[in-house]
């Protein structure tokens, strides 16, 4: 099949400490109220307390995944130092992302250091309310002055930035700000995570947001949709319907496949998260090649 050895995945690597409201330890994450949930599947494929690059490579090789984008997530803690090591250790397999808290006094200088000295070529901001930046700070305008200098640096390096803004019930969900960011930074590749985290039954709002964000420098990853568009079971027919809607508005060339492992794999196997798109009719074979590989290669790997 055409995507064998040609998939580009989206993964979270190496769990550590998270925000004050959400912390991880021992393969689990805990909210401040004591509520816990699993970060890793209990099958041994991901490790017990840390999902390392080597574990990820074993999964990728077993499923014919050529490259992966390593996303930052607050429940895992910032992984800038580890990600910088992976840039040098596995340059042909991973595109690690860097991140900062924009409320840090040296956030701008740190972002410059990451791109100019550490060799990063992509950034990720987990801004969602709850476990993201707007879970530990008051809600702020993503297109405002606090984030603008960071976007300026990323744009100057012709790099992509991924933003997880949560779902439409959250103050962090700001499609209008994302549109302004794309317009104000035309050289920036903006990737909106999880297709804006669609909520079943609220497709009209999703369609309006996608129309607003139909811009030449905006893409959407579809990682974790089997977990987000719940309840559902493999091969996730409800997800395929959401993807048909998205394709009809922004086109298949704007959608990037991903797994969001290891967290999404607590619900289903990596194998199912990898192949479920082939079990529906949302995409043609040519579109599957784009969604699985070509789009991510163009956005994250400079081709």
């Amino acid at each position: 099949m055409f995507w064998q050895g040609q998939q580009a995945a989206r993964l979270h690597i190496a769990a550590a400490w998270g925000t004050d409201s959400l912390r991880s330890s021992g393969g689990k994450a805990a909210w401040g109220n004591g509520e816990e949930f699993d970060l890793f599947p209990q099958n041994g494929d991901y490790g017990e307390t840390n999902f390392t690059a080597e574990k990820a490579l074993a999964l990728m090789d077993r499923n014919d995944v050529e490259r992966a984008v390593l996303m930052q997530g607050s429940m895992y803690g910032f992984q800038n130092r580890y990600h910088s090591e992976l840039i040098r250790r596995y340059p042909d397999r991973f595109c690690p992302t860097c991140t900062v808290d924009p409320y840090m006094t040296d956030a701008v200088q740190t972002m410059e250091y990451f791109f100019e000295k550490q060799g990063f070529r992509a950034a990720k901001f987990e801004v969602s309310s709850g476990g993201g930046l707007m879970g530990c700070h008051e809600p702020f305008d993503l297109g405002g002055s606090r984030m603008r200098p960071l976007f300026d640096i990323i744009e100057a390096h012709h790099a992509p930035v991924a933003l997880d803004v949560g779902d439409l019930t959250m103050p962090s969900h700001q499609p209008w700000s994302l549109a302004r960011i794309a317009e104000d930074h035309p050289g920036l590749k903006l990737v909106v995570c999880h297709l804006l985290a669609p909520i079943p039954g609220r497709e009209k709002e999703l369609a309006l947001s996608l129309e607003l964000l139909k811009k030449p420098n905006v893409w959407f990853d579809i990682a974790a949709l089997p977990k987000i568009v719940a309840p559902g079971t493999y091969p996730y027919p409800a997800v395929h319907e959401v993807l048909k809607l998205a394709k009809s508005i922004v086109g298949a060339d704007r959608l990037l496949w991903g797994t969001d492992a290891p967290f999404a794999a607590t619900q289903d196997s990596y194998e199912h998260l990898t192949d479920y798109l082939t079990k529906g009719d949302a995409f043609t074979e040519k579109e599957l090649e784009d969604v699985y590989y070509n789009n991510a290669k163009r956005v994250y790997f400079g081709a």
Side-chain angles (χ1 to χ4, degrees):
M1 304 177 101
F2 58 75
W3 53 82
Q4 295 298 311
Q6 292 192 67
Q7 297 178 20
R10 168 199 158 113
L11 300 170
H12 289 285
I13 293 287
W17 291 105
T19 66
D20 288 340
S21 60
L22 181 64
R23 293 181 178 272
S24 63
S25 181
K28 293 182 178 292
W31 293 98
N33 63 7
E35 179 185 348
E36 288 189 344
F37 55 88
D38 288 333
L39 282 179
F40 303 147
Q42 302 302 306
N43 61 8
D45 285 344
Y46 297 82
E48 295 181 1
T49 60
N50 289 283
F51 182 35
T52 64
E54 289 69 32
K55 285 284 188 181
L57 287 170
L59 276 173
M60 291 162 59
D61 290 343
R62 198 167 72 209
N63 290 276
D64 298 309
V65 176
E66 180 182 304
R67 308 179 191 183
V69 180
L70 306 183
M71 291 292 188
Q72 300 272 353
S74 55
M75 72 176 72
Y76 303 91
F78 288 178
Q79 297 293 330
N80 294 312
R81 180 171 295 182
Y82 187 48
H83 279 196
S84 70
E85 295 175 9
L86 299 181
I87 291 172
R88 291 176 282 277
R89 199 185 309 169
Y90 303 109
D92 298 326
R93 300 301 303 273
F94 293 129
C95 176
T97 58
C98 60
T99 194
V100 297
D101 184 333
Y103 283 82
M104 292 166 42
T105 56
D106 60 349
V108 174
Q109 294 86 347
T110 301
M111 185 62 73
E112 289 176 339
Y113 169 75
F114 287 152
F115 275 92
E116 295 176 9
K117 303 297 184 182
Q118 291 295 301
F120 280 97
R121 59 179 185 269
K124 157 75 186 298
F125 294 99
E126 177 76 31
V127 298
S128 56
S129 305
L133 289 171
M134 295 197 200
C136 56
H137 300 295
E138 290 293 324
F140 57 92
D141 180 5
L142 290 174
S145 60
R146 186 164 294 278
M147 296 293 293
R148 184 177 297 274
L150 303 175
F151 295 139
D152 287 341
I153 293 167
I154 301 166
E155 181 181 24
H157 288 82
H158 309 288
V161 59
L163 291 170
D164 184 344
V165 299
D167 66 41
L168 55 79
T169 68
M170 302 177 182
S172 56
H173 192 89
Q174 301 174 15
W176 57 90
S177 291
L178 296 175
R180 192 164 78 252
I181 293 166
E183 292 166 358
D184 292 346
H185 301 272
L188 186 70
K189 299 176 182 177
L190 177 60
V191 180
V192 183
C193 299
H194 311 306
L195 195 66
L196 291 163
I199 296 177
R202 303 188 69 172
E203 289 80 11
K204 183 177 291 187
E205 290 102 322
L206 174 62
L208 290 171
S209 294
L210 292 175
E211 290 284 1
L212 180 65
L213 292 168
K214 187 177 179 180
K215 299 184 182 300
N217 59 332
V218 177
W219 290 262
F220 304 84
D221 80 42
I222 61 173
L225 285 194
K227 192 172 183 66
I228 292 169
V229 184
T233 56
Y234 178 83
Y236 305 107
V239 174
H240 289 280
E241 293 306 309
V242 170
L243 292 173
K244 289 178 187 177
L245 172 63
K247 185 181 83 167
S248 71
I249 298 172
V250 301
D253 62 333
R254 295 285 140 179
L255 304 177
L256 315 176
W257 167 77
T259 62
D260 217 48
F263 183 44
T266 59
Q267 172 180 299
D268 204 347
S269 68
Y270 187 86
E271 288 73 17
H272 280 178
L273 296 173
T274 299
D275 75 359
Y276 81 93
L277 292 181
T278 70
K279 309 302 181 182
D281 60 354
F283 303 110
T284 66
E285 286 207 354
K286 173 59 173 68
E287 289 169 342
L288 280 173
E289 186 174 359
D290 288 340
V291 174
Y292 269 126
Y293 187 69
N294 293 331
N295 299 341
K297 186 177 181 181
R298 187 175 303 114
V299 172
Y300 285 109
F301 295 94

